[in-house]
Amino acid sequence: MFGPALRRTRPFLRVNSLWLVLVLTLPAAPAVFASDLDSFNPATTDPSKFRIAVRHSERLAVPQGGARVKILMTDRQTGQVLREKEVLLKKAVQPNRLESVLSERRTDEQVSVYRIPEQEVAELRALQAKYLSLPQTRKDNMAGSLTIDVAGCKLDPEDNGRMLISTYLKTSEFQDYVPLEMDFDLRNVPDTGKTGRRDPVQPCQAMN
């Protein structure tokens, strides 16, 4: 939850999950990557207000521990990992300001919201303070990424339909939820070679 401001997102294909990487801006990042995410600064954002909303089919579930955030800071010149931290997100009991997410929901979809657990908030604030105290020359030599990983499993083992999932980000900088990836099919993975195309979405009981 520290580092330069974010610029863009991109989805990665990985078995069972939608892996979204929010790429921290470089000093010479082209303006073409500017988006609503520009106002999000991991170095100053309030970790207690960090939310991820997941919109998905009722036939799909996000298992326990299936939503997480990974922070990675590296030396820009050598690529050496300076700091790495993974946070398992907790399902929010009373989500708010979901109007825009709910307005896009289909009749067969549900929305779940995840937050940073309270016990992790203090540590993330300490990381932010440590980063902000560094000399500017040191900051300029650091690169980083904030990865959001949302796993999904199918409730019916025989279900072979599309498994669409959409994710949204809400932070202290945003008045509303900002879309990250819309209607990504969890089955959209590369062929597996000799065995042909297989179903990457596992039944929920297989993931328990």
Side-chain angles (χ1 to χ4, degrees):
M1 205 55 72
F2 52 93
L6 291 172
R7 280 292 182 183
R8 52 180 171 150
T9 68
R10 65 176 187 267
F12 277 75
L13 299 178
R14 196 181 79 171
V15 174
N16 303 328
S17 69
L18 169 59
W19 197 5
L20 289 173
V21 177
L22 309 185
V23 183
L24 300 181
T25 186
L26 302 176
V32 68
F33 293 132
S35 71
D36 291 338
L37 291 170
D38 287 351
S39 61
F40 174 38
N41 187 341
T44 57
T45 195
D46 184 350
S48 69
K49 296 183 179 180
F50 184 92
R51 299 288 187 276
I52 294 295
V54 183
R55 177 169 60 85
H56 58 85
S57 168
E58 294 177 345
R59 299 159 25 241
L60 187 70
V62 178
Q64 185 71 23
R68 64 191 67 196
V69 169
K70 182 177 180 180
I71 299 165
L72 182 67
M73 299 297 295
T74 59
D75 184 281
R76 194 181 298 277
Q77 299 298 322
T78 67
Q80 177 186 0
V81 175
L82 304 173
R83 178 73 186 188
E84 184 175 1
K85 180 172 177 59
E86 185 174 80
V87 178
L88 295 181
L89 301 180
K90 179 181 179 181
K91 196 167 185 178
V93 178
Q94 295 180 326
N96 54 15
R97 303 195 67 86
L98 274 173
E99 292 82 1
S100 62
V101 180
L102 293 174
S103 68
E104 296 173 342
R105 180 179 56 176
R106 302 180 180 90
T107 56
D108 62 343
E109 288 182 326
Q110 63 184 49
V111 175
S112 301
V113 178
Y114 299 87
R115 59 168 296 166
I116 293 173
E118 292 181 6
Q119 60 269 26
E120 299 277 4
V121 170
E123 182 178 350
L124 290 173
R125 284 175 175 160
L127 290 176
Q128 289 175 312
K130 183 177 180 179
Y131 173 82
L132 292 172
S133 68
L134 294 174
Q136 188 59 49
T137 53
R138 182 65 180 124
K139 294 177 185 176
D140 292 341
N141 288 328
M142 297 172 67
S145 64
L146 180 67
T147 305
I148 298 171
D149 187 8
V150 181
C153 61
K154 57 185 179 182
L155 297 174
D156 180 359
E158 304 302 320
D159 191 339
N160 294 313
R162 290 203 305 167
M163 292 293 181
L164 300 181
I165 188 170
S166 301
T167 54
Y168 306 77
L169 176 66
K170 174 74 171 69
T171 72
S172 55
E173 291 85 359
F174 304 149
Q175 292 296 317
D176 209 339
Y177 282 82
V178 175
L180 295 178
E181 185 68 21
M182 303 295 289
D183 293 330
F184 182 87
D185 190 350
L186 292 181
R187 288 207 170 95
N188 187 21
V189 297
D191 291 345
T192 57
K194 294 181 180 179
T195 58
R197 193 174 185 84
R198 63 182 179 83
D199 188 356
V201 186
Q202 297 296 310
C204 290
Q205 56 263 44
M207 299 182 69
N208 293 331

